[in-house]
């Protein structure tokens, strides 16, 4: 196919726009990485705005990994993320599948109940009361169970299941499969894209968890990564009230940011390719 | 048939969901149930007067860098001394802390001791009936009273009743700091009057004191209007909206006739273009960063932020010649005053929930804790760490060891009743000793705002913002000073300021000020 000049110009424009967007997205990350690797005196001398470090030091990382609460917090976060995501996925699938079957009695009622939670929530204090009364305070379950299911994800999954051809279910039934078997052996393998996409949502959610930790957990040994990192970052934003405080240097702060976000950034590319298939809701799927 | 199957699917999925949820939470909830029953058991035993295990105390406050309990030697030492099991939780952000406190108070899950951000917040809690009136218990808190001084309790007295424990009085930290090497380079003397000050500020911006051939330096920087605190002081007025005694009369700085003159002079300073144009935007420690980077010649800041080892090291790395010295407040028509010192101010207030009234043992334990950290042994512990490890005692003199700097940076989180500020700082910050003394010995206007409680119908946040905005307009020449009186009128008519003034005057007169 011969491309016209117009096409080429259009392509070039699109390319440039995308390139700029890409750079805008990558730039802050590079900056953070660069500052975290540069000796702090360099940062101060050069006004803190260096893209490629002039000299490299791993002091900040060493300090964070050896002397701070970060390794322990890292463990907590990994635990919460792994357990949490698995539970999330199981429960969400178990909820979405029946809702996607038209023969489910009272389906509309259940759907209404799910959608209702999207629009209204109890608020902080009632939620706290619930968490407290079932004895979840000060345990890692307080960071997992209150958000076990995100209604929106149920809807996405439901609509994916609905898009599967009805004949599939019929033939499975003719072959004698019951609902559980259908879900496990027919539906689950076909819904890898949506499962991975939603899994990633849940995963990122758990990884970035700090609000529930701050509300429900007072035991310092159970603080997740983001709470600890936030503590390091926030310190320099308040003027010193107490002379004893050690203010962490910018290098240290940036290193903590990198440590907190790197793992999830590394997972992301492997799941990203499933996004377009998995994320479509209420539109025509290819 | 189809129906039946569907029902089965539905039921089985519900059962499964329930069982999974239950399965996940059961282990833990039974665990916490055990804890609860154990706790109740412990309390009932204690109630019957027999020996009890350690009493668990839940404490929340703002702070940071608290180690985990296994490394927290202060917690361990206090627990051993008073038979307690402390669970201190600190929140790095004030908002997080407020959320946590509100939720816990609202849900009845009271901490046993908690920080209150200020007097206004304390008043609110008192009105809601959430904090314990300590007046009947003052005998039990004698060591605390001795430690913080009887006067201090005025800070947390509302309608004649003591509702919380304030920390022992602090000392002022802030002064102007000036680059001596820049002064020398330009052949100038440290300014002693406000006119000289103006000249130096201007020279720092215009005569290239850092010698890099570029006009890239600032004369003066700071954070918000407090940047000009000693200038206000030079005219004998306190910072905006502060109360003090002037010529025997109770005065609010906004109504002080000298305020207009002060504003006029500050406008002159700003007009030179040598004052950091971002002072109102500087948040946190941005002004300090500018100073360390060598962008400004004079800064209004506290001594820790410029003279602690951590920062002198940074300064040296960026510019080995930089020589920051403290500057006495410049002399003006109203005398010589550094930033104001709040007689009613405190660095922390701690309250006990009213619910603890019914749990005498726990209440007694909280008193024990407060008394312990106010007593000789406990106070030393929360100030310096463990004797022989973090410091050595020779007679009365405390000599810090290397471990103190390494490990004991968090002990202040346990200073619930404060500390003897001067000796504490002199010991812990021996190299900064002269700066501490300098900041402490400067003449200051003694303001009284810390004793005030806001009256009904007065919104302090809005008012403060309004005053700040208007002051910025005056300083930057957006509105002429002739409009100052109409600014006061607007303040009174739209911000309920009259009510505030009347209420404040009455409160202060009741405390014996201005009569």
């Amino acid at each position: 196919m011969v491309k016209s000049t117009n096409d080429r110009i259009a392509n070039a424009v699109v390319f440039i726009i995308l390139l700029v967007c890409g750079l805008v997205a990558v730039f802050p990350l590079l900056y953070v990485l660069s500052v975290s690797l540069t000796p702090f005196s360099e940062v101060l001398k050069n006004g803190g705005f260096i893209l490629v470090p002039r000299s490299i030091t791993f002091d900040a990382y060493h300090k964070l990994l050896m002397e701070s609460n970060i390794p322990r917090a890292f463990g907590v976060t990994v635990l919460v993320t792994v357990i949490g995501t698995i539970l999330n996925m199981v429960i969400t699938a178990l909820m979405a599948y029946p809702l996607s079957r038209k023969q489910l009695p009272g389906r509309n009622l259940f759907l209404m109940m799910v959608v209702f939670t999207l629009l209204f929530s109890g608020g902080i204090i009632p939620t706290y009361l619930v968490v407290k009364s079932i004895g979840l305070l000060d345990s890692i379950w307080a960071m997992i169970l209150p958000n076990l299911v995100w209604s929106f994800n149920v809807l996405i999954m439901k609509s994916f299941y609905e898009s599967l051809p009805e004949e599939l279910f019929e033939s499975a039934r003719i072959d004698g499969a019951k609902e559980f078997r259908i879900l496990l052996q027919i539906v689950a393998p076909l819904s890898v894209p949506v499962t991975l996409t939603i899994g990633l949502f849940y995963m990122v959610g758990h990884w970035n968890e700090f609000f529930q930790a701050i509300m429900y957990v007072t035991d310092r040994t159970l603080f997740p990564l983001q709470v600890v990192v936030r503590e390091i970052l926030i310190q320099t934003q308040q003027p010193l009230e107490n002379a004893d405080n050690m203010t962490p240097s910018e290098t240290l702060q940036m290193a903590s940011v990198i440590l907190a976000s790197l793992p999830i950034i590394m997972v992301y590319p492997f799941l990203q390719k499933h996004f377009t298939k998995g994320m479509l809701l209420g539109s025509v799927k290819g | 048939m189809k129906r039946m199957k569907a029902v089965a699917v539905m039921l089985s999925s519900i059962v499964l969901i329930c069982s999974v949820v239950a399965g996940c939470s059961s282990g833990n909830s039974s665990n916490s149930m055990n804890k609860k029953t154990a706790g109740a058991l412990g309390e009932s035993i204690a109630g019957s007067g027999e020996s009890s295990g350690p009493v668990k105390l839940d404490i929340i406050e703002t702070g940071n860098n608290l180690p985990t309990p296994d490394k927290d030697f202060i917690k361990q030492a206090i627990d051993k001394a008073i038979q307690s099991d402390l669970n201190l939780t600190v929140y790095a952000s004030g908002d997080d802390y407020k959320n946590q406190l509100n939720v816990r108070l609202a849900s009845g899950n009271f901490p046993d001791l908690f920080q209150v951000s200020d007097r206004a917040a304390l008043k609110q809690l008192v009105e809601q009936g959430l904090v314990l009136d300590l007046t009947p218990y003052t005998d039990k808190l004698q060591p605390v009273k001795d430690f913080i001084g009887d006067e201090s309790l005025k800070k947390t007295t509302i309608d004649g009743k003591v509702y919380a424990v304030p920390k022992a009085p602090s000392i002022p930290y802030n002064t102007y700091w000036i680059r001596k090497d820049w002064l020398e380079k330009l052949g100038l003397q440290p300014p002693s009057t406000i006119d000289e000050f103006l000249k130096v500020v201007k020279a720092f911006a215009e005569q290239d004191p850092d010698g890099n051939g570029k006009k890239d330096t600032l004369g003066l920087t700071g954070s918000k209007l407090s940047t000009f605190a000693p200038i206000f002081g030079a005219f004998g007025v306190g910072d905006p909206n502060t109360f003090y005694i002037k010529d025997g009369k109770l005065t609010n700085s906004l109504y002080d006739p000298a305020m207009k003159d002060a504003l006029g002079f500050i406008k002159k300073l700003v007009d030179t273009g040598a004052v950091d144009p971002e002072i109102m935007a500087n948040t946190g420690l941005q002004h300090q960063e500018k100073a360390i980077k060598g962008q400004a010649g004079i800064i209004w800041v506290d001594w820790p932020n410029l003279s602690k080892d951590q920062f002198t090291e940074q300064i040296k790395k960026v510019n080995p010649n930089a020589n920051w010295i403290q500057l006495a407040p410049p002399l003006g028509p109203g005398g010589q005053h550094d930033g104001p010192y709040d007689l009613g101010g405190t660095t922390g207030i701690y309250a006990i929930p009213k619910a603890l009234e019914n749990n005498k043992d726990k209440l007694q334990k909280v008193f024990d804790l407060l008394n312990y950290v106010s007593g000789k042994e406990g106070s030393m512990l929360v100030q310096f760490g463990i004797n022989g490890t973090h410091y050595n005692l020779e007679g009365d003199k405390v000599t810090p060891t290397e471990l103190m700097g390494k490990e004991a940076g968090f002990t202040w989180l346990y200073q619930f009743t404060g500390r003897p500020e001067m000796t504490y700082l002199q010991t812990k910050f021996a190299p900064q000793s002269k700066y501490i003394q300098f900041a402490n010995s400067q003449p200051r206007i003694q303001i009284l705002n810390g004793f005030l409680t806001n009256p009904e119908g007065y919104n302090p946040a809005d008012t403060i913002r309004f005053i700040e905005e208007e002051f910025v307009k005056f300083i930057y020449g957006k509105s002429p000073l002739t409009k100052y009186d109409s600014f006061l009128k607007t303040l009174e008519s739209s911000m309920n300021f009259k009510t505030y003034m009347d209420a404040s005057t009455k409160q202060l007169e009741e405390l014996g000020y201005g009569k």
Side-chain angles (χ1 to χ4, degrees):
Chain A
M1 204 174 86
V2 186
K3 274 186 189 166
S4 71
T5 335
N6 268 349
D7 275 352
R8 268 193 218 127
I9 293 175
N11 271 344
V13 170
V14 169
F15 179 77
I16 289 169
I17 292 176
L18 286 180
L19 188 73
V20 170
C21 290
L23 283 180
V24 167
V26 170
F27 189 76
L29 270 177
L30 267 183
Y31 171 70
V32 169
L33 183 67
S34 147
V35 171
S36 77
L37 289 171
T38 311
F40 190 55
S41 51
E42 270 312 289
V43 177
L44 277 174
K45 265 188 215 160
N46 298 296
F49 207 67
I50 336 149
L51 215 49
V52 182
R54 290 183 184 81
S55 55
I56 285 187
T57 165
F58 289 97
D59 282 358
Y61 291 93
H62 187 260
K63 200 162 181 233
L64 282 179
L65 292 175
M66 306 314 281
E67 291 170 26
S68 72
N69 283 342
I70 283 204
R72 178 192 280 274
F74 200 92
V76 172
T77 294
V78 168
L79 199 67
V80 166
T81 306
V82 170
I83 299 178
T85 309
I86 292 172
L87 284 180
N88 287 144
M89 288 318 300
V90 170
I91 303 289
T92 308
L94 285 180
M95 229 174 132
Y97 179 66
L99 286 175
S100 74
R101 300 291 90 210
K102 299 214 167 45
Q103 62 268 41
L104 177 75
R107 177 168 176 261
N108 281 332
L109 179 73
F110 289 123
L111 266 177
M112 284 264 293
M113 284 161 71
V114 170
V115 173
F116 184 82
T117 63
L118 267 182
L119 303 175
F120 305 98
S121 73
I124 299 176
I125 292 169
T127 315
Y128 184 88
L129 282 171
V130 171
V131 172
K132 181 190 155 209
S133 61
I134 49 179
L136 293 186
L137 288 184
D138 266 334
S139 76
I140 65 164
W141 298 108
M143 293 175 255
I144 295 173
L145 295 185
N147 272 348
L148 198 57
V149 170
W150 294 351
S151 318
F152 193 69
N153 288 350
V154 173
L155 296 183
I156 293 177
M157 272 198 119
K158 177 190 123 307
S159 86
F160 188 93
Y161 290 157
E162 274 169 358
S163 74
L164 297 172
E166 192 57 41
E167 292 79 8
L168 217 61
F169 296 90
E170 272 168 30
S171 71
R173 259 177 223 122
I174 290 167
D175 289 343
K178 294 278 188 312
E179 295 294 341
F180 255 112
R181 196 167 187 156
I182 296 177
L183 177 58
L184 280 178
Q185 292 193 324
I186 312 270
V187 176
L190 284 171
S191 48
V192 172
V194 77
T195 312
L196 288 179
T197 308
I198 289 186
L200 183 73
F201 287 171
Y202 280 126
M203 202 156 93
V204 174
H206 284 302
W207 191 268
N208 290 335
E209 177 57 60
F210 83 86
F211 183 75
Q212 298 184 70
I214 279 176
M215 287 323 254
Y216 308 136
V217 178
T218 59
D219 182 351
R220 254 190 125 61
T221 49
L222 291 179
F223 275 178
L225 194 56
Q226 306 298 344
V227 174
V228 176
V229 169
R230 193 154 170 269
E231 204 171 80
I232 294 174
L233 289 178
I234 241 171
Q235 272 176 53
T236 46
Q237 290 177 16
Q238 339 166 291
L240 239 57
E241 281 161 1
N242 217 304
D244 297 7
N245 257 347
M246 272 299 262
T247 321
S249 68
E250 206 177 336
T251 310
L252 208 66
Q253 292 179 33
M254 295 305 173
S256 66
V257 170
I258 294 286
L259 279 182
S261 47
L262 204 60
I264 211 79
I265 290 176
M266 273 158 53
V267 172
Y268 195 83
F270 297 103
L271 300 176
Q272 191 261 353
K273 62 178 177 188
H274 299 287
F275 265 27
T276 38
K277 257 193 186 167
M279 245 307 274
L280 291 172
L281 174 67
S283 62
V284 183
K285 279 156 227 71
Chain B
M1 195 59 202
K2 216 173 177 187
R3 261 276 126 108
M4 286 285 286
K5 237 178 224 166
V7 172
V9 170
M10 188 186 83
L11 281 179
S12 61
S13 49
I14 289 176
V15 168
L16 205 101
I17 291 175
C18 294
S19 62
V20 169
V21 173
C24 300
S25 59
S26 65
N28 177 68
S29 64
S30 66
N31 195 357
S32 74
M33 283 298 271
N34 284 341
K35 260 191 245 165
K36 249 181 227 158
T37 41
L41 218 69
E43 273 155 23
S44 64
I45 291 173
S48 61
E50 282 167 44
S51 73
S52 57
V55 179
K56 199 169 176 213
L57 292 184
D58 228 355
I59 306 164
I60 57 173
E61 63 178 352
T62 54
N64 43 47
N65 280 335
L66 183 71
T68 46
D70 52 313
K71 291 184 195 138
D72 188 343
F73 50 86
I74 301 289
K75 169 194 152 59
Q76 290 157 10
I78 295 180
D79 281 350
K80 215 170 129 197
I82 64 166
Q83 301 296 311
S84 63
D85 177 15
L86 294 187
N87 178 26
L88 176 67
T89 313
V90 299
Y91 295 86
S93 133
D95 288 337
D96 291 348
Y97 175 74
K98 233 185 260 168
N99 271 335
Q100 169 76 201
L101 181 64
N102 287 341
V103 156
R104 290 188 69 158
L105 293 180
S107 65
N109 187 20
F110 301 109
D112 302 309
L113 183 69
F114 60 93
Q115 189 185 24
V116 182
S117 56
D118 53 22
R119 215 181 132 92
L122 182 64
K123 193 192 169 208
Q124 213 172 21
L125 292 171
V126 169
E127 279 164 2
Q128 291 166 347
L130 288 168
V131 294
L132 185 64
D133 174 10
L134 297 178
T135 328
Y137 304 98
T138 37
D139 292 346
K140 289 191 173 176
L141 286 168
Q142 196 57 44
V144 173
K145 261 166 63 186
D146 294 342
F147 187 71
I148 63 174
D150 278 346
E151 274 296 290
S152 282
L153 284 178
K154 266 191 196 172
K155 298 171 186 173
T156 49
T157 303
I158 291 175
D159 297 329
K161 287 177 183 160
V162 182
Y163 282 103
V165 176
K167 284 191 177 181
S170 181
I171 58 171
Y173 288 3
N174 280 60
T175 55
Y176 272 145
W177 287 76
I178 190 166
R179 282 282 291 266
K180 188 154 179 264
D181 54 316
W182 283 14
L183 283 172
E184 279 160 5
K185 182 143 199 289
L186 302 181
L188 296 165
Q189 289 298 313
S192 56
T193 66
I194 52 170
D195 291 321
E196 285 173 31
F197 186 79
L198 181 75
K199 241 178 259 157
V200 169
V201 168
K202 214 169 149 192
F204 276 174
E206 285 168 0
Q207 296 176 17
D208 189 27
D210 59 352
N212 66 353
K214 280 183 250 169
K215 221 185 121 182
D216 58 354
T217 47
L218 293 166
L220 171 67
T221 189
S223 179
K224 307 277 169 355
L225 287 175
S226 71
T227 311
F228 305 107
I231 306 293
F232 284 121
F235 287 87
V237 298
D239 282 0
N241 194 16
T242 48
F243 285 91
Y244 44 89
I245 307 288
K246 194 172 188 178
D247 306 326
K249 264 185 14 206
L250 192 59
T251 313
N252 180 303
S253 68
L254 295 178
Y255 292 89
D256 193 323
M259 183 52 112
K260 256 195 255 187
D261 303 335
L263 279 176
F265 184 81
I266 292 171
K267 180 167 182 299
K268 253 205 282 185
L269 258 180
V270 172
D271 282 346
T272 60
V275 176
D276 182 358
E278 291 169 357
I279 50 166
M280 296 312 289
N282 283 343
T283 52
L285 287 174
Q286 276 168 352
H287 55 302
Q288 177 237 25
E289 276 165 31
K290 285 179 186 168
I292 292 180
K293 284 175 187 165
Q295 293 171 341
I298 304 175
I299 180 176
W300 170 254
V301 77
D302 48 8
W303 61 262
N305 271 321
L306 214 52
S307 71
K308 265 168 69 173
D309 300 345
Q310 182 190 0
F311 296 119
T312 49
E313 209 174 289
Q314 288 176 13
I315 293 171
K316 206 172 262 165
K317 274 183 184 154
V318 185
N319 185 351
N321 301 323
N323 181 12
W324 286 98
I325 56 164
Q326 279 165 307
L327 185 67
L331 182 72
Q336 231 184 335
H337 303 280
D338 237 322
Y341 176 69
D342 197 338
L343 285 178
T346 166
T347 48
I349 300 176
Y350 288 85
I352 300 170
K354 194 167 171 57
L356 226 56
E357 221 170 9
N358 305 320
N359 191 340
K360 293 275 181 262
D361 301 303
K362 223 169 193 188
L363 186 60
Q364 185 56 46
K365 209 46 98 176
V366 176
F367 290 158
D368 288 349
L369 172 68
L370 292 173
N371 286 335
Y372 181 69
V373 295
S374 306
K376 193 161 183 341
E377 183 192 324
S379 175
M380 288 298 271
L381 174 72
V382 295
Q383 284 185 69
F384 306 114
I386 290 167
N387 191 0
T389 309
H390 303 105
Y391 68 94
N392 290 309
L393 207 55
E394 292 147 26
D396 260 352
K397 202 180 163 329
V398 174
T399 320
T401 64
E402 207 176 309
L403 265 184
M404 183 195 276
K406 258 188 161 169
E407 280 183 358
F410 71 93
T411 62
W412 62 276
L413 293 167
Y414 286 94
Q415 293 164 359
F416 303 117
T417 52
R419 59 204 182 201
E421 188 78 357
M422 203 59 189
T423 52
Y424 172 77
L425 292 175
Q426 299 273 11
T427 310
K428 212 151 187 183
F429 298 95
Q432 287 78 25
S433 177
K434 62 175 176 174
Y435 305 124
I436 299 165
Q437 258 161 3
F438 186 93
N440 189 35
S441 60
Q442 296 311 305
R444 289 173 195 268
I445 294 174
Q446 303 199 314
I447 60 171
L448 308 164
N449 288 51
F451 292 117
L452 298 176
T453 31
N454 296 316
E456 209 73 31
Y458 168 77
N459 184 333
D462 284 357
T463 312
I464 289 165
R465 200 175 55 232
F466 177 73
I467 294 174
E468 202 173 66
E469 279 167 9
E470 293 301 306
F471 266 54
V472 167
K473 281 188 203 157
F474 288 130
I475 289 171
Y476 286 94
K478 294 263 158 56
S479 64
L481 269 177
T482 43
K483 286 222 173 133
Y484 188 80
D485 293 324
S486 77
F487 148 70
L488 282 183
K489 279 212 185 79
T490 320
L491 188 65
E492 284 165 10
S493 61
S494 66
M495 296 283 162
N496 243 335
F497 202 69
K498 200 91 195 149
T499 325
Y500 168 74
M501 279 296 293
D502 292 344
S504 305
T505 313
K506 199 173 145 245
Q507 285 170 27
L508 291 174
E509 277 173 356
E510 274 168 11
L511 285 173
Y513 292 106
K515 269 216 166 155

